[in-house]
Amino acid sequence: MKRSREQAASELFAALYPRLAGWCRRLVDDDETAHEIASEAFTRLWARWTSVAEPRGFLYVTAANIVRDHWRRLERERKAVHRVTTETAVRPHTEPSDPSVRLLVQSLPERLRVPILLHYYADMPVREVAAVTGRKEGTVKADLHAARELLRAHLRRSLDHTR
């Protein structure tokens, strides 16, 4: 029994790791960090192997959460560096807001961010996003719509400020 469990985990890893790591790479823009995140997601899956009904969904949601934590840490570091450089330089703050889509997606509430990451970055169809998140398809569609509207509004504001 233990052998078949290990064999199933090995096959799942071979089938899903490259795509998961590639997805993470697009989100964090760093190969090493992407591989660390994908590996951590598999480690967490392995720890719950017998209780996870949908391993692929578990991996992507777990990786999305780890990516979110990574983004938060980077933002805290950026703010700390900015604070230090602002304290040492006597100049007004004229830095425009960053219209980067990644940062905008990061700023979405989790309820909206996870479906966006799964649907647009992991290429999961709405049906699969619904199954993975435990939501109805209509709810996922509504969340995707709401997220796109928020992103559109943020991008418009960002672009207006840069002109």
Side-chain angles (χ1 to χ4, degrees):
M1 176 140 175
K2 183 178 181 185
R3 186 73 179 136
S4 64
R5 178 179 174 225
E6 288 177 5
Q7 181 66 30
S10 178
E11 289 170 4
L12 184 75
F13 183 85
L16 296 181
Y17 182 85
R19 188 167 178 196
L20 180 68
W23 179 69
C24 292
R25 170 68 173 86
R26 288 193 309 266
L27 294 172
V28 299
D29 200 30
D30 177 65
D31 284 334
E32 185 176 339
T33 303
H35 285 284
E36 287 174 9
I37 291 169
S39 296
E40 178 63 22
F42 270 95
T43 300
R44 292 180 188 183
L45 172 63
W46 181 250
R48 295 167 186 79
W49 183 252
T50 57
S51 64
V52 174
E54 181 55 51
R56 181 174 185 256
F58 178 90
L59 286 168
Y60 276 91
V61 169
T62 300
N65 288 334
I66 298 169
V67 166
R68 180 201 61 220
D69 293 343
H70 171 76
W71 285 345
R72 284 180 178 164
R73 190 183 76 250
L74 289 178
E75 183 63 16
R76 283 192 305 270
E77 290 171 1
R78 187 193 66 75
K79 285 180 179 176
V81 167
H82 178 73
R83 232 184 349 264
V84 168
T85 56
T86 302
E87 290 170 3
T88 58
V90 184
R91 59 178 167 79
H93 178 66
T94 57
E95 203 176 296
S97 59
D98 185 352
S100 155
V101 173
R102 181 182 65 98
L103 292 174
L104 295 176
V105 169
Q106 175 187 350
S107 72
L108 289 172
E110 184 170 358
R111 174 182 68 81
L112 302 177
R113 183 178 56 250
V114 170
I116 286 285
L117 291 174
L118 296 176
H119 184 67
Y120 290 105
Y121 290 88
D123 297 324
M124 287 186 187
V126 170
R127 177 183 80 279
E128 195 170 344
V129 173
V132 165
T133 59
R135 299 176 187 164
K136 295 181 180 179
E137 284 185 43
T139 303
V140 170
K141 288 177 183 177
D143 288 346
L144 288 169
H145 175 75
R148 284 190 304 266
E149 290 300 314
L150 279 173
L151 292 171
R152 190 174 291 119
H154 284 298
L155 281 171
R156 275 195 195 112
R157 278 197 304 275
S158 294
L159 291 174
D160 288 345
H161 290 305
T162 58
R163 291 182 185 168

